[in-house]
Amino acid sequence: MITAAAPVRWFREFGRPPRILGLDVARGLAILGMAGAHIGETEAFEWMDPATWTDLVHGRSSILFALLAGVSIALMTGRSVLPERERLPSIRLNLVGRGAVIFLIGLALEMLNTPIAVILTLYGILYVAVIPFLRWRPWQLLLGAAVLALVGPALLAFLGAVMLHPFGTGIGFVLYGTYPITVWLALVLGGMALGRMHVERVRTAVIALAVGIVLAVVGYGLGGIGQAAGLSTPAEYSSSSFVDGSSFSESSFDVSMPNGWEGYPQALEASDPLGSVLAAVFAVEPHSGGTAEVLGSGGFALTVIALCLLLSRPLRWVLLPLGALGSMPLTAYSAHVLSIVLFGGPGGFFSSNEFWAATAIGLLVVTTLWSMFFGRGPLERLVGRGAAAMALVSSPTASTSDAGHRLEG
């Protein structure tokens, strides 16, 4: 029931343990950043020109969102304690149910026919993809993330080249689209490792800050070397018509071999496997999926999370609206996409920093008020019910509660 005391209680209690306000704040920044990548007008980034720093939202916002997804999965499955084997069946079904509902929400948003490469369909798949890693220790998760980040892009580029850039719905969705699974799974595994290492502690945040800075320097340095060497981004990593992303289509490549397999050597030479591999390693552009981007932008995202964790303690009152926004990311993200349809029409789109600012203010105000009087966001409640219903398949008494902190708030 709504009462006049709700705002007072909210200001006093929201973001207190066991909830981790810093993670909500980081997630709120990710939502606003993705909105900016979709509808903002930005100029090419230059370190010495602060007016261009808004360009940082491209690619990095969704990477921040993915890293936070991994943290939330760790928190909902035991925090720093690995889940007990007896609970695994219920946890797995919970994740499947959660992923299925998120996937369906993503499909519904795609049906609105906006030019946005909706990330939620990938998120639904990632909730299932992480199931084999639920009992991995932090060092194992970090090792897996490192292998995927260092080897995954090059391997995908090599396979794409030797197979003459295969295309298809599944390949475009999972391997060579806007969100290749190898890249994004690496980020989620890294986030899970962070979530397992007492992410609420100041010491963890300080270490994460240092590691994030090092990764960013290494990744962007690697990308700078690639650009200086003239290594171009391979075609399967290039952006196209989608906003803040890329699409994959069969028309992207000329795979014809008029002489059948006799023409394969010539086609392979034109495909340039070695050049594709090198470009995949050094690719640093937003949504390029290259090793340099994963390291650089992943380090940038980790730095943002660490700063949010550290600053949310002394600046709690100031950051509460951002925390409220970050506590219901599915609802906020969906509302943002809907706003594009309302103002641009089906399939229509326009970019405007004024629209971006209005979107940011609107989301902050509405989510803060909703959080004060209603608590969890509407889509977050829907996902929770879907997860609970699926978990009950395993055991009628299965508990689907977590520590008050999950991806959807």
Side-chain angles (χ1 to χ4, degrees):
M1 184 175 66
I2 300 175
T3 64
V8 176
R9 184 173 62 255
W10 183 84
F11 275 106
R12 184 175 62 249
E13 299 177 358
F14 181 78
R16 301 290 189 187
R19 195 164 193 99
I20 304 173
L21 180 61
L23 296 178
D24 283 328
V25 171
R27 194 175 293 110
L29 290 175
I31 292 292
L32 297 182
M34 285 190 288
H38 298 154
I39 61 178
E41 296 177 325
T42 61
E43 300 178 19
F45 178 78
E46 295 288 345
W47 278 109
M48 302 307 294
D49 185 3
T52 66
W53 290 0
T54 53
D55 188 58
L56 291 173
V57 299
H58 292 288
R60 298 166 186 85
S61 301
S62 51
I63 283 180
L64 173 59
F65 206 42
L67 200 61
L68 287 163
V71 176
S72 296
I73 291 172
L75 295 181
M76 76 172 71
T77 57
R79 294 205 168 209
S80 59
V81 179
L82 298 182
E84 299 172 353
R85 293 187 181 277
E86 300 76 35
R87 293 185 57 224
L88 283 180
S90 177
I91 291 175
R92 288 167 182 157
L93 288 173
N94 186 296
L95 290 173
V96 170
R98 196 176 301 278
V101 177
I102 294 174
F103 184 86
L104 290 175
I105 293 173
L107 286 182
L109 294 178
E110 290 182 350
M111 289 294 292
L112 295 176
N113 195 28
T114 66
I116 294 174
V118 176
I119 197 174
L120 297 185
T121 47
L122 169 78
Y123 269 52
I125 292 176
L126 286 174
Y127 267 83
V128 179
V130 299
I131 288 177
F133 311 104
L134 291 176
R135 282 185 53 82
W136 279 28
R137 301 184 182 280
W139 70 267
Q140 293 173 309
L141 292 168
L142 290 175
L143 180 60
V147 170
L148 285 173
L150 297 176
V151 179
L155 180 61
L156 280 181
F158 177 77
L159 291 177
V162 298
M163 298 304 295
L164 306 184
H165 307 294
F167 59 86
T169 303
I171 289 175
F173 184 70
V174 178
L175 298 181
Y176 297 115
T178 309
Y179 307 112
I181 193 71
T182 52
V183 173
W184 296 88
L185 185 58
L187 296 165
V188 173
L189 292 181
M192 287 178 65
L194 179 62
R196 292 278 186 241
M197 295 188 289
H198 296 283
V199 68
E200 73 279 2
R201 295 180 179 176
V202 174
R203 180 174 180 271
T204 301
V206 172
I207 294 175
L209 178 62
V211 172
I213 293 174
V214 170
L215 286 176
V217 170
V218 171
Y220 292 134
L222 189 66
I225 293 173
Q227 291 175 345
L231 294 173
S232 60
T233 303
E236 65 267 30
Y237 292 101
S238 64
S239 61
S240 63
S241 59
F242 280 117
V243 176
D244 194 29
S246 61
S247 64
F248 182 92
S249 67
E250 57 188 89
S251 62
S252 300
F253 307 102
D254 180 9
V255 296
S256 60
M257 289 192 300
N259 298 322
W261 283 104
E262 294 180 2
Y264 179 76
Q266 291 80 7
L268 181 63
E269 182 180 359
S271 184
D272 189 14
L274 178 59
S276 296
V277 168
L278 290 175
V281 171
F282 291 99
V284 74
E285 296 83 3
H287 290 288
S288 64
T291 295
E293 187 204 8
V294 178
L295 296 178
S297 295
F300 177 86
L302 183 59
T303 300
V304 170
I305 293 174
L307 288 174
C308 289
L309 289 169
L310 294 172
L311 295 176
S312 63
R313 298 171 185 269
L315 300 178
R316 177 179 177 273
W317 293 95
V318 177
L319 296 176
L320 281 177
L322 264 177
L325 172 59
S327 72
M328 52 187 83
L330 287 180
T331 298
Y333 183 92
S334 300
H336 156 60
V337 176
L338 282 170
S339 72
I340 292 177
V341 176
L342 291 175
F343 290 97
F349 179 75
F350 64 92
S351 60
S352 165
N353 286 337
E354 290 75 18
F355 185 29
W356 180 14
T359 297
I361 294 172
L363 288 177
L364 288 168
V365 171
V366 172
T367 55
T368 298
L369 291 174
W370 184 281
S371 182
M372 280 182 183
F373 294 103
F374 301 104
R376 295 178 68 193
L379 291 185
E380 285 68 28
R381 293 175 187 268
L382 177 64
V383 172
R385 290 189 184 120
M390 183 64 77
L392 287 176
V393 173
S394 172
S395 171
T397 59
S399 171
T400 58
S401 63
D402 55 47
H405 204 85
R406 38 173 80 102
L407 169 64
E408 75 286 0

